[in-house]
Amino acid sequence: MRLLTEGWCERGPSLSEAAAAVPPPASAWWDSAEFLDGPDDDRRAAINLWLLTGLTPERRDVKGERDGDGRVDLLLRPVGAPVEVVEVLTTLDRDHQDAVPRAAALVAELNGAEPPALLFPVELERGWEPPLTRGRKGKATGRRWAAVVERLQREARAGAISAEAAAEAAAVFPGIEFRDPIDDPDRGGFWLSSLNAAVRDPEDVPYLERLSAYLAVEERPVHHVAKLAREAAALGAQRRHLYLLVASAGEWGDLLPTSPSWFTDGTFIAPDDLTDLWLDGGTGYIMRWRRESGWTYHEDR
């Protein structure tokens, strides 16, 4: 068992320490129209990059401008040095984003007009996939799901869901699981408590090897790293940053950086066209990799 409190990578300044050291900007650039009208993810990344590098960012991919899709998201401009290019990306996959509202709607069907008195937590285990229950292609599955819903509602109102009913539900809706009911005086019914309950055990494959695989084989990071290389060549940039907002759910939910100890776990192989990688999962740490010096962590406070 790997101890998350031991074997940490090198510590860098926290956000509060960095904020105290960075020179005051000439203007509140983060409140400019180009950032307020842009994606929230880009603004978050820009503020953290400014604090931790001391370089004022500017938006390059501005909404409505020609050729915007071919541009990197941000630029960092050091004084007396070449410009640096930045791409901002979330690890949350589109298939997962599309599936979440479908899964929530199916759980709502379980509640129906009269939810059971007890609270039944519903967990969607790793690899879950909501069935298609509507439309011409979903007729047969829809009938099976309706029968499952009727049985689950009946058993939930009686106070417990049998193993047989849970298995019938999982046969139609792969990955769905029901936990023991809770006697909650404030609420009852089926409650979607987790969208990725069974994240892969980190002991199976070292964290840095999983991260290396994501950057090497997943279409979206490969595309964004290639964009960094193109823009770096066009602008004469020497540093190329990928800022990853790491989600806890979806196919790559096991990449959430919960401890700096993960960054001494295995061997990291970065894409050739990357000089700086940032991981921000809202877990209390922002992780940074630099090609010349490796990993450091920055406390998110």
Side-chain angles (χ1 to χ4, degrees):
M1 177 70 70
R2 186 178 182 85
L3 295 177
L4 301 186
T5 57
E6 297 180 359
W8 286 21
C9 60
E10 182 181 351
R11 182 185 186 274
S14 67
L15 286 185
S16 58
E17 291 168 343
V22 71
S27 63
W29 54 265
W30 51 87
D31 285 334
S32 64
E34 65 178 7
F35 280 101
L36 291 177
D37 295 342
D40 290 341
D41 287 351
D42 288 13
R43 190 167 182 266
R44 175 189 177 101
I47 291 172
N48 289 339
L49 287 168
W50 169 59
L51 292 175
L52 294 173
T53 67
L55 304 177
T56 300
E58 64 182 66
R59 280 196 57 78
R60 177 161 169 80
D61 184 1
V62 178
K63 185 178 180 180
E65 289 194 0
R66 291 184 60 189
D67 301 325
D69 288 343
R71 295 180 174 184
V72 291
D73 295 312
L74 304 171
L75 298 178
L76 302 174
R77 291 192 180 275
V79 177
V83 69
E84 302 181 13
V85 291
V86 182
E87 276 285 89
V88 182
L89 175 65
T90 176
T91 63
L92 189 61
D93 57 278
R94 291 189 178 94
D95 289 342
H96 180 87
Q97 288 175 295
D98 292 341
V100 167
R102 291 169 52 208
L106 291 173
V107 172
E109 287 183 30
L110 291 173
N111 281 312
E114 298 181 17
L118 295 175
L119 184 67
F120 286 85
V122 179
E123 293 186 348
L124 302 182
E125 302 290 341
R126 186 173 179 84
W128 63 269
E129 183 178 352
L132 179 64
T133 59
R134 304 199 176 185
R136 187 173 59 183
K137 293 183 178 179
K139 280 185 178 180
T141 304
R143 287 193 294 269
R144 291 177 63 201
W145 178 246
V148 166
V149 167
E150 183 179 351
R151 178 172 182 178
L152 289 171
Q153 289 175 337
R154 184 172 63 252
E155 293 192 2
R157 291 190 184 105
I161 292 174
S162 66
E164 293 81 3
E168 286 183 11
V172 183
F173 189 162
I176 192 169
E177 291 199 1
F178 303 91
R179 297 305 175 199
D180 292 337
I182 301 169
D183 189 1
D184 188 331
D186 296 324
R187 58 176 175 167
F190 292 92
W191 169 53
L192 188 55
S193 61
S194 174
L195 287 164
N196 211 23
V199 171
R200 180 170 42 194
D201 185 348
E203 298 297 329
D204 293 346
V205 179
Y207 180 89
L208 291 177
E209 293 180 20
R210 303 199 308 270
L211 179 60
S212 300
Y214 168 77
L215 294 170
V217 305
E218 182 70 8
E219 179 182 2
R220 296 179 67 224
V222 169
H223 168 77
H224 284 263
V225 170
K227 187 193 292 188
L228 282 170
R230 289 195 305 271
E231 284 275 83
L235 298 172
Q238 294 180 0
R239 301 208 72 88
R240 301 170 295 279
H241 302 253
L242 181 63
Y243 194 99
L244 276 181
L245 291 150
V246 187
S248 61
E251 181 181 358
W252 298 97
D254 59 327
L255 292 181
L256 189 70
T258 56
S259 169
S261 68
W262 295 137
F263 297 84
T264 57
D265 182 22
T267 301
F268 180 58
I269 301 175
D272 290 339
D273 292 316
L274 206 59
T275 63
D276 296 75
L277 176 65
W278 304 78
L279 303 182
D280 179 0
T283 60
Y285 305 104
I286 295 175
M287 310 303 303
R288 183 184 185 183
W289 172 85
R290 282 174 281 193
R291 185 167 292 277
E292 60 271 33
S293 56
W295 289 101
T296 57
Y297 73 92
H298 306 269
E299 293 168 289
D300 185 8
R301 57 180 176 82

